[in-house]
Amino acid sequence: MSDFILFDPLFRQPFVIGLLLSIALSLLGAYLRMREEWLAAMGLSHMAAAGGVAALPLGIPALAGALLAAALAAIAKGLLPKASNSHYGLMLLLGWAGAMILAANTHQGEVVGEALLRGQLYFTSTPHLIGSLALVAVLLFALSWLSPRLLAERFFPDHFSANRIPAWPHRLLFGALVVVAAVLGTLAMGAMSAFAMFFVPAWVAFVLVRGWRWALALTVALGVGCYLLAFVLSMLLDQPFGPTLTLCLAALALLRLFAHRAARVAGAPGE
Amino acid sequence: MSADTATTALLAVKEVVAGYAGPVVGPVSFDVYPGEVLGLRGPNGCGKSTLLKAITGEAKRFAGKIVRCNGLTVTHHQQRPELPPELPLLGRELLRVMGADRGDAPGIIKPLLYRPINRMSGGQFQLLEAWACLGGDAELVLLDEPTNNLDGEAIEALAHILRTARPPRAVLLVSHERAFLEENCTRIVEIGRPGEGQGS
């Protein structure tokens, strides 16, 4: 019976959407961790959830409301002289509180709010698929241009101003990709699961490999692997997908123990 | 400054007063010419690092002018670069970011090329970042206290790199180590405390 549900054509589109999002979110999570902005994903996910709930009384689609709220939060962050995880933490608190209060005070808001915080992968539709495909396509296409700029800015913060090279194009593109990923991830997986997909694979992969390319490859492999496992487990055990995915990702943290053991043997740092 | 030298200077700093919320350093004037290693010397807190940041546009210029030759390329090795604790970037990948991975790295850098930066000591990372600036194509390299965290062997290696710098590149070097400046700079400019201006 479970096998039948797993291969039901009804679940093919949600499966592909989740697969695409697990690639995009984990890959972007690696760059957020490199920039020490990993809490941005959590803040933006919750702002997206608040926007999705607020969209109901305004009569606009949840996707548009979520995108608008996350974009406004990202613009506000961009206006700060130096945004830090503390600002993203505040964004998270505002998003969570806003989503909860709006949900409690709007018609059907509680149901939608619950869905956004827990995720609704099985109810995703063609717009989600198109958005996820576009996100992955733009990300992979732009990565060879974007990656060296993000790395240069991380290690040599005034490289762009020193050479009179505008930094806004790569900052804008990266910010837009993170916002779209956070919104689509929140709508499909739920705010907490989306954050876990941004946060955990890179956190684990970075201590397991040597080299940036391998770190990116392992980050995506861990993200996709956890997604596949969670999709199957939630079907077979009849459990909600979002929390199952979050648990699978959290269990990945055990792999960090191998890295700490290897580091002790190697005598790092400085070797 | 004659009209002739004005056209050949990579960078001309003219009566510059710079800082953040308020002025920290200046007025200061000097020119940087191709091929030279110009040292900036002064007491702690006199604003030497702020001056470098004014050149890169990170600090605010309250007065004076900074004139750059057309298309000048600049790299800036900042004081006490932060070593990211869990970033598995290899040494050569960091060099590639700055276009300094051309296979002519000095002997002391080569062991670091295939080591992740999260397995480097603070001194090794500092030296690698300095080479990322010096080994690339930038015409003007700003080095801010590059000897911090370095042991004697690494300081000697850095000095050798500076002495064999490829013209027409110029280096603007800030250091509190008088001996290092005097041994490796072709010219030294004294920076006074705020309001004191500069010595010769």
Side-chain angles (χ1 to χ4, degrees), chain A residues 7-19:
Chain A
F7 294 106
D8 191 318
L10 278 175
F11 292 110
R12 280 181 195 157
Q13 183 165 290
F15 173 78
V16 172
I17 290 168
L19 189 63

Side-chain angles (χ1 to χ4, degrees), chain A:
Chain A
M1 183 65 181
S2 296
D3 288 345
F4 174 71
I5 292 173
L6 195 59
F7 294 106
D8 191 318
L10 278 175
F11 292 110
R12 280 181 195 157
Q13 183 165 290
F15 173 78
V16 172
I17 290 168
L19 189 63
L20 291 167
L21 289 175
S22 65
I23 293 169
L25 269 61
S26 58
L27 189 53
L28 286 166
Y31 284 90
L32 286 170
R33 171 154 288 276
M34 182 270 287
R35 290 165 63 89
E36 295 188 33
E37 291 181 335
W38 50 268
L39 203 53
M42 186 77 153
L44 288 170
S45 300
H46 280 76
M47 291 303 287
V53 180
L56 275 177
L58 297 174
I60 57 176
L63 177 60
L67 199 56
L68 184 64
L72 287 175
I75 290 168
K77 173 229 137 190
L79 293 175
L80 294 170
K82 190 171 183 179
S84 68
N85 277 332
S86 301
H87 297 106
Y88 299 126
L90 182 62
M91 201 185 283
L92 154 69
L93 298 177
L94 288 172
W96 179 82
M100 288 295 115
I101 287 176
L102 285 165
N105 289 281
T106 54
H107 181 58
Q108 289 185 325
E110 198 161 351
V111 177
V112 174
E114 182 72 6
L116 287 171
L117 292 175
R118 283 180 28 173
Q120 46 186 357
L121 182 66
Y122 306 133
F123 302 101
T124 48
S125 55
T126 304
H128 293 97
L129 179 63
I130 294 169
S132 305
L133 267 173
L135 172 67
V136 171
V138 172
L139 176 58
L140 296 181
F141 180 74
L143 202 59
S144 61
W145 177 83
L146 194 57
S147 183
R149 282 160 180 77
L150 295 174
L151 286 166
E153 194 168 51
R154 172 67 178 84
F155 289 100
F156 301 94
D158 53 0
H159 172 74
F160 291 90
S161 63
N163 290 286
R164 311 268 169 95
I165 301 169
W168 66 264
H170 73 261
R171 288 179 188 165
L172 181 67
L173 177 60
F174 182 67
L177 287 168
V178 172
V179 164
V180 172
V183 169
L184 291 173
T186 300
L187 292 174
M189 299 172 173
M192 197 58 74
S193 305
F195 167 67
M197 187 57 87
F198 275 116
F199 169 67
V200 180
W203 182 52
V204 173
F206 278 20
V207 295
L208 291 178
V209 293
R210 301 160 73 101
W212 183 241
R213 284 168 185 266
W214 284 110
L216 294 180
L218 183 60
T219 296
V220 174
L222 291 175
V224 169
C226 270
Y227 166 73
L228 294 174
L229 181 64
F231 193 89
V232 172
L233 284 179
S234 63
M235 287 281 190
L236 293 180
L237 304 176
D238 194 22
Q239 294 298 311
F241 171 74
T244 307
L245 175 61
T246 305
L247 269 179
C248 289
L249 286 164
L252 269 186
L254 291 172
L255 292 177
R256 284 178 60 91
L257 295 174
F258 291 103
H260 290 308
R261 185 189 169 99
R264 278 199 300 275
V265 171
E271 295 188 338

Side-chain angles (χ1 to χ4, degrees), chain B residues 55-115:
Chain B
I55 292 169
T56 67
E58 286 288 289
K60 186 175 177 184
R61 183 165 45 80
F62 291 91
K65 285 168 64 174
I66 296 176
V67 182
R68 304 155 58 115
C69 74
N70 279 341
L72 178 70
T73 49
V74 180
T75 55
H76 181 200
H77 174 262
Q78 299 208 9
Q79 191 175 4
R80 287 189 289 274
E82 177 213 356
L83 176 58
E86 286 190 347
L87 206 51
L89 207 74
L90 298 176
R92 66 184 176 89
E93 290 176 319
L94 178 63
L95 295 183
R96 187 181 304 139
V97 166
M98 300 306 284
D101 60 332
R102 294 181 298 205
D104 58 349
I108 198 166
I109 297 291
K110 282 181 177 160
L112 306 177
L113 295 178
Y114 292 92
R115 185 177 298 176

